[in-house]
């Protein structure tokens, strides 16, 4: 049910310009708690830029982003806003496209970074939480002591998820989470992300080009085109759209049957 109480992300009239070039021309949408939302768009539509604006890394030219009740770009620079921003950043996790793990730290040390920086927990409890996060991310216990360079691509992405959920966030952002993975590994990753929503109650917002992720894992898809939201709805509805870009994007794919929440389809 869409309601202000259930809304964890509200994007209103975002405009982004680089010089005279407008990337976003008034983007608006909301994300509800406990959902898995995918964002798609052609190259150059500013998907990753928008993601950075949402989490407070890039200031839009105009518009508002309200994340977990915090206005991300209001009164930027004031001490009060800085404190609120620091607090809200502890309530969401971010998985960047390449994982962005610290190469000189083991997997366990990577996951522990946020716990050591933002909590006063003792070492023993941090170690227990690290093992829990690795388990939730589907990694074997022995992966904890390996460096990122010693892991496969799929395991590195799972390690990145473990780090992103270290502080038990309410909301998880992901940028192209299955890029570079083989189809079998990618579908296993989809199942993991879906379980974070269904079993742990996280809200997930991801940018992806992976059609199988969109079809098999998402509750809803937002499509960007020409600086605006072209479509926003269930993937099966977007796949039936007569819009030329969407028709080409989903060319040859059959819309899935409507799913009951909690019973996602992982077929292709």
């Amino acid at each position: 049910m869409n309601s202000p109480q259930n809304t964890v992300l509200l994007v209103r009239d975002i405009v982004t310009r680089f010089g005279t070039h407008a990337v976003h021309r008034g983007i608006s949408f909301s994300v509800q708690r406990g959902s898995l939302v995918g964002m798609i768009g052609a190259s150059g539509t500013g998907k990753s830029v928008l993601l950075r604006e949402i989490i407070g890394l890039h200031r839009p030219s105009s518009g508002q982003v309200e994340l977990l009740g915090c206005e991300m770009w209001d009164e930027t620079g004031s001490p009060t806003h800085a404190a609120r921003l620091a607090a809200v950043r502890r309530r969401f996790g971010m998985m960047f496209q390449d994982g962005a793990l610290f190469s000189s730290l083991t997997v366990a040390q990577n996951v522990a970074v946020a716990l050591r920086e933002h909590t006063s927990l003792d070492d023993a409890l941090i170690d227990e939480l690290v093992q829990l996060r690795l388990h939730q991310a589907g990694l074997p216990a022995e992966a904890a002591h390996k460096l990122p360079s010693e892991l496969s691509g799929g395991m590195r992405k799972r390690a990145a998820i473990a780090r992103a959920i270290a502080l038990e966030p309410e909301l998880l952002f992901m940028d192209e989470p299955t890029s570079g993975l083989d189809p079998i590994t990618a579908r296993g990753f989809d199942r993991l992300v879906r379980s974070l929503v269904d079993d742990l109650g996280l809200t997930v917002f991801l940018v992806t080009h992976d059609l199988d992720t969109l079809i098999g894992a998402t509750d809803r898809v937002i499509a960007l085109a020409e600086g605006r939201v072209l479509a926003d709805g269930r993937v099966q509805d977007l796949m039936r759209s007569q819009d030329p870009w969407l028709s080409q994007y989903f060319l040859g794919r059959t819309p899935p049957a409507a799913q009951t929440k909690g019973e996602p389809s992982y077929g292709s």
Side-chain angles (χ1 to χ4, degrees):
M1 178 181 178
N2 290 359
S3 72
Q5 291 77 16
N6 289 330
T7 300
V8 294
L9 172 62
L10 184 60
V11 174
R12 290 181 293 229
D13 301 319
I14 288 294
V15 173
T16 307
R17 296 187 183 91
F18 294 100
T20 59
H21 177 59
V23 177
H24 304 136
R25 302 172 182 269
I27 290 178
S28 299
F29 61 85
S30 63
V31 172
Q32 304 301 305
R33 189 176 300 277
S35 61
L36 199 166
V37 178
M39 175 170 282
I40 63 174
S43 298
T45 53
K47 301 180 296 298
S48 294
V49 171
L50 181 59
L51 196 56
R52 291 172 63 83
E53 291 171 339
I54 289 171
I55 65 175
L57 296 180
H58 181 86
R59 188 182 183 94
S61 302
S62 64
Q64 294 177 299
V65 175
E66 186 177 308
L67 177 57
L68 295 168
C70 176
E71 177 53 61
M72 298 298 284
W73 294 108
D74 183 42
E75 302 173 8
T76 300
S78 71
T80 301
H81 180 74
R84 287 199 319 250
L85 194 58
V88 80
R89 280 177 169 159
R90 290 193 288 271
R91 297 172 59 195
F92 70 81
M94 175 71 207
M95 179 186 164
F96 293 96
Q97 185 170 344
D98 59 359
L101 296 169
F102 297 111
S103 60
S104 61
L105 301 181
T106 66
V107 169
Q109 290 169 336
N110 266 281
V111 177
V113 166
L115 293 166
R116 297 191 186 283
E117 182 177 351
H118 297 294
T119 75
S120 56
L121 300 174
D122 60 43
D123 289 346
L125 188 50
I126 286 177
D127 289 343
E128 288 183 20
L129 284 173
V130 166
Q131 290 302 319
L132 174 62
R133 300 303 180 228
L134 293 177
H135 175 72
Q136 290 172 327
L139 284 171
E142 57 267 25
H145 307 293
K146 294 185 177 182
L147 294 172
S149 61
E150 299 174 308
L151 302 178
S152 67
M155 291 181 73
R156 278 197 301 275
K157 288 182 181 285
R158 288 176 181 266
I161 280 194
R163 188 179 66 176
I165 65 174
L167 293 175
E168 198 171 349
E170 301 168 50
L171 178 59
L172 179 61
F173 293 100
M174 313 178 83
D175 191 4
E176 298 287 359
T178 59
S179 66
L181 300 182
D182 66 82
I184 294 175
T185 302
R187 300 295 69 82
F189 198 84
D190 289 344
R191 289 190 288 273
L192 167 64
V193 176
R194 188 70 242 185
S195 73
L196 295 177
V197 177
D198 295 334
D199 300 336
L200 299 184
L202 269 69
T203 305
V204 174
F205 183 88
L206 58 86
V207 172
T208 186
H209 286 102
D210 192 325
L211 292 180
D212 288 308
T213 297
L214 295 171
I215 294 169
T218 62
D219 297 311
R220 175 172 148 235
V221 178
I222 299 168
L224 302 185
E226 298 181 356
R228 292 185 170 84
V229 174
L230 171 65
D232 182 349
R234 301 177 307 167
V235 67
Q236 54 263 45
D237 295 330
L238 269 64
M239 293 176 76
R240 296 186 180 100
S241 170
Q242 298 303 305
D243 177 82
W245 187 85
L246 287 172
S247 297
Q248 183 67 27
Y249 192 89
F250 291 108
L251 185 64
R253 305 304 293 266
T254 302
Q259 297 290 323
T260 300
K261 188 172 182 179
E263 298 179 357
S265 168
Y266 291 101
S268 60

